[in-house]
Amino acid sequence: MDLQTGKLYWPTTFPDAPSYPPLDEDIQCDVLIVGAGGSGALCAYYLCETGLDVVVVDKRKAGYGSTITNTALIQCLGDKMFFELVNSFGETYAARHLTLCRQAIDELERAANQLHIDVQFQRRDSLYYASVAEDVAKLKKEYEALKKQSYPVVWLDRKQIRSHYPFEKHAALYTMGDGELNPYKLTIGLLEYAKQRGVRIFEETEINGKKLEQHMATCYTKNGYSIQARKVIFAAGYETLEVKQEKKALLVSSYAVVTNRVEDFSSWYKRTLIWETARPYVYMRTTADDRVIIGGLDENTAYADDRDAKLTHKKERLIEEFHRLFPDIHVVPEFYLAAFYGGTHDGLPMIGVYDSFPNCYFVYAYGDNGTVYSTVLAQILRDVITEKQNDDFDLYMQTRPKLPQA
């Protein structure tokens, strides 16, 4: 899959990242993880202390799939508003999902403090503003639904927004407890942690065949070697859909720029994460080296040529959108990208389990908060594979329930 194009930022932040060898022999293991990006690395991190023999493979360099274009706003709230999830799944179900996402951010902070690589994790608050006056009503619904869950959220009116930022909006939700990080450094840091605890990692090792039996899976590499495993986790990001299509998943195209370094962020209150109610929306954050990441303006296309043809225009539009909010901060796009972006029709990530793929699990951590979702799903899979009771597994199965529509 042609995942992305552009001038990429994250590799420049870690030019001396460790590398891993390609597989050059037949091997056996308890668990094979296909994919050494964010999702696969989190699975390896949580499985590495279970006593299981774990292997990770990737057809590219580790972290060089969709992870390398992840803009890594670490948030709980997503494309589907919380009150919409309540309407679809019920309050108990949606509230549990919200709790798991909040716990996942705590988990990411704990991991960041544990790893030997500085993944640039930083707690941030978020500003979620109404793009047009008509969106204020649904933003108010979201506020009331979140307050009912004792979620850390504050309602801001036009005057209060203007007191903190150089722009006016009709209303906004100000939420606490989110974060930002470097997704490439996180991925490599997690893999290195797992490697030190016995996990074997192989780059440039493409799986191009498989034999799935009742008690054993055998995967074959493009270079002619085999990997026998009791369990297989397909955590290959959007390319997981090339192994098993899932009707609840969808691919679109998204865009982002990373700017020059900014000397003065004094007009950007607490360097909050910023996003909006418009669909498609624009979002922005700052980086550890004082740049700005501006992304969004998604297009409903899963064709790389169509996606890439719009990159120049989107790059300019994203800068314009930023300057509308922060006219005092002059930025230019030093890095830019067009990339595929995955979501689900119902707004929740998924673990796929299929009769036609015995002993296999598929990680579809798709949506606005892929890193958070991957953290949730990786912990669930650790428990499932080690036969530990986890009542949250059913929440994210592709067969999950949905309330009947009136």
Side-chain angles (χ1 to χ4, degrees), residues 10 13-14 20 36-39 41-42 45 63 67 70 72 74 107-113 115 117-121 180-193 370-372 374-375:
W10 295 123
T13 68
F14 199 10
Y20 308 97
S39 293
L42 280 158
Y45 173 75
T67 296
N70 179 359
I74 307 301
E107 277 287 305
L108 287 166
E109 184 173 36
R110 184 182 67 82
N113 292 330
L115 302 178
I117 293 171
D118 178 10
V119 306
Q120 298 166 342
F121 180 93
E180 66 188 31
L181 52 76
N182 181 321
Y184 181 46
K185 285 189 170 183
L186 174 69
T187 296
I188 301 302
L190 293 169
L191 290 173
E192 285 293 290
Y193 182 93
T371 304
V372 173
S374 293
T375 305

Side-chain angles (χ1 to χ4, degrees), residues 345-369:
H345 291 293
D346 63 13
L348 293 181
M350 294 178 294
I351 296 173
V353 179
Y354 308 95
D355 291 340
S356 56
F357 288 83
N359 304 305
C360 295
Y361 302 94
F362 292 78
V363 177
Y364 303 103
Y366 299 170
D368 295 356
N369 303 321

Side-chain angles (χ1 to χ4, degrees), residues 314-327:
K314 297 289 187 178
K315 178 173 62 172
E316 295 169 354
R317 279 276 316 280
L318 288 168
I319 294 294
E320 290 170 4
E321 292 293 329
F322 177 80
H323 282 147
R324 285 194 183 98
L325 296 184
F326 294 98

Side-chain angles (χ1 to χ4, degrees), residues 325-393:
L325 296 184
F326 294 98
D328 60 316
I329 302 177
H330 177 70
V331 294
V332 295
E334 288 195 359
F335 304 90
Y336 44 87
L337 63 93
F340 285 140
Y341 160 80
T344 62
H345 291 293
D346 63 13
L348 293 181
M350 294 178 294
I351 296 173
V353 179
Y354 308 95
D355 291 340
S356 56
F357 288 83
N359 304 305
C360 295
Y361 302 94
F362 292 78
V363 177
Y364 303 103
Y366 299 170
D368 295 356
N369 303 321
T371 304
V372 173
Y373 295 161
S374 293
T375 305
V376 173
L377 301 186
Q379 293 175 85
I380 292 172
L381 283 176
R382 172 200 58 198
D383 292 348
V384 170
I385 288 172
T386 57
E387 300 182 350
K388 179 181 176 183
Q389 179 68 26
N390 190 310
D391 295 333
D392 298 317
F393 186 34

Side-chain angles (χ1 to χ4, degrees), residues 139-157:
L139 202 63
K140 194 71 173 179
K141 281 186 181 179
E142 182 76 340
Y143 171 74
E144 291 167 353
L146 291 171
K147 287 296 288 185
K148 189 175 180 181
Q149 301 299 323
S150 300
Y151 193 82
V153 58
V154 176
W155 179 267
L156 298 182
D157 60 23

Side-chain angles (χ1 to χ4, degrees), residues 251-293:
L251 280 184
V252 298
S253 296
S254 193
Y255 303 85
V257 298
V258 183
T259 73
N260 54 295
R261 289 186 173 90
V262 174
E263 291 186 4
D264 183 6
F265 279 116
S266 58
S267 65
W268 189 329
Y269 182 68
K270 291 189 175 181
R271 292 171 63 155
T272 44
L273 312 180
I274 298 176
W275 57 313
E276 61 174 330
T277 56
R279 296 294 183 268
Y281 62 87
V282 173
Y283 60 86
M284 53 196 71
R285 57 160 284 197
T286 59
T287 68
D289 62 345
D290 297 326
R291 301 175 188 271
V292 182
I293 299 176

